[in-house]
Amino acid sequence: MTSPVDPPATSRPRTPFDPGQMRPSDFYRVMNSIVVPRPIAWVLSRSADGVHNLAPHSFYTVACVQPPVVQFTSVGRKDSLTNIEATGEFTVNLVPEELFEQANATGTDFPPDQSEAEAAGIRLEPSEKVGALRVAQSPVSIECTLHSTLRLGDSTVVFGRVEWVTVVSDAVRDGRPRIEELRPLARLGGNEWCTVGDIRTIPRIPYATWAEDPSIGEQVRGG
């Protein structure tokens, strides 16, 4: 079975964006607006001089499960990257809805010798396994040691080996954290942020089940 191909005349008009013909800053705005929503790594790192840096990074995801590794991208050379390279550790904290304004404030380009957490009134506390602190008001903290970095053009991907995870107990049910209790914020394009909104649950369909019951495919295709 092949997918149907609409003739061009029936397709919706499209606006092209050619990265080869656009300024990088303009194409960055396009990418930020279409790769959405993006989870936020609220990265807490410590400088070689002991200054605690807290910054939101929205180019963030899981890189591997075994071994457990998360990754975020430093677009340009940010303090988070410098600190992590110097100390070899950091924490990734989830940004809850109630810390919306504080999280945004930590994106301000403070000098390296000033703490964003202190400026924004964010409480920090000791982690369990690493020297970098964690955000006390965050429901989730991922404690990481530096696994490796990868330079790509003007950016650097930071891979963190997950050493420990803590989640507030009232957000854990049936052995896993529940999204409706965590209520994380995510980034969209421009200055836009979003909440989780409506949550929809649907199980995956094993191919054996699909093959045995033709009505499943008919239902999915709208037949």
Side-chain angles (χ1 to χ4, degrees):
M1 179 183 297
T2 59
S3 298
V5 178
D6 287 339
T10 64
S11 298
R12 297 169 61 185
R14 291 177 177 266
T15 300
F17 295 93
D18 183 352
Q21 299 298 319
M22 298 176 65
R23 294 186 304 175
S25 59
D26 291 337
F27 195 70
Y28 172 84
R29 294 176 60 201
V30 174
M31 294 295 288
N32 259 13
S33 297
I34 59 177
V35 183
V36 290
R38 299 185 306 280
I40 304 166
W42 211 6
V43 177
L44 197 298
S45 60
R46 186 181 76 250
S47 74
D49 295 327
V51 178
H52 299 289
N53 174 271
L54 181 61
H57 295 267
S58 68
F59 291 3
Y60 163 60
T61 190
V62 176
C64 185
V65 176
Q66 190 175 0
V69 176
V70 294
Q71 69 178 73
F72 76 90
T73 299
S74 174
V75 180
R77 182 144 196 107
K78 303 291 179 59
D79 292 340
S80 299
L81 173 61
T82 299
N83 294 348
I84 292 168
E85 288 180 336
T87 65
E89 58 186 20
F90 60 100
T91 64
V92 175
N93 304 271
L94 182 145
V95 180
E97 289 182 19
E98 62 268 21
L99 295 184
F100 170 50
E101 293 186 3
Q102 291 89 340
N104 181 64
T106 61
T108 300
D109 55 343
F110 287 96
D113 61 349
Q114 295 186 26
S115 169
E116 293 84 355
E118 182 177 350
I122 298 169
R123 294 187 293 107
L124 306 179
E125 64 184 15
S127 299
E128 306 291 338
K129 299 292 184 179
V130 301
L133 302 179
R134 66 189 181 204
V135 175
Q137 298 146 282
S138 173
V140 176
S141 179
I142 305 173
E143 302 180 24
C144 301
T145 53
L146 179 60
H147 178 280
S148 58
T149 60
L150 175 63
R151 181 70 181 269
L152 294 171
D154 67 346
S155 300
T156 301
V157 185
V158 178
F159 296 94
R161 174 69 181 258
V162 178
E163 305 292 349
W164 200 255
V165 174
T166 55
V167 181
V168 292
S169 296
D170 55 7
V172 179
R173 291 201 310 274
D174 300 324
R176 70 177 180 91
R178 309 300 294 207
I179 191 70
E180 62 270 19
E181 302 295 338
L182 301 178
R183 302 179 66 83
L185 289 170
R187 284 303 309 272
L188 302 174
N191 293 321
E192 302 160 341
W193 300 57
C194 70
T195 58
V196 171
D198 293 337
I199 300 171
R200 304 176 64 180
T201 301
I202 185 171
R204 291 190 181 182
I205 306 170
Y207 177 72
T209 303
W210 183 293
E212 291 173 1
D213 187 353
S215 68
I216 295 176
E218 294 173 0
Q219 182 179 358
V220 171
R221 293 189 295 270

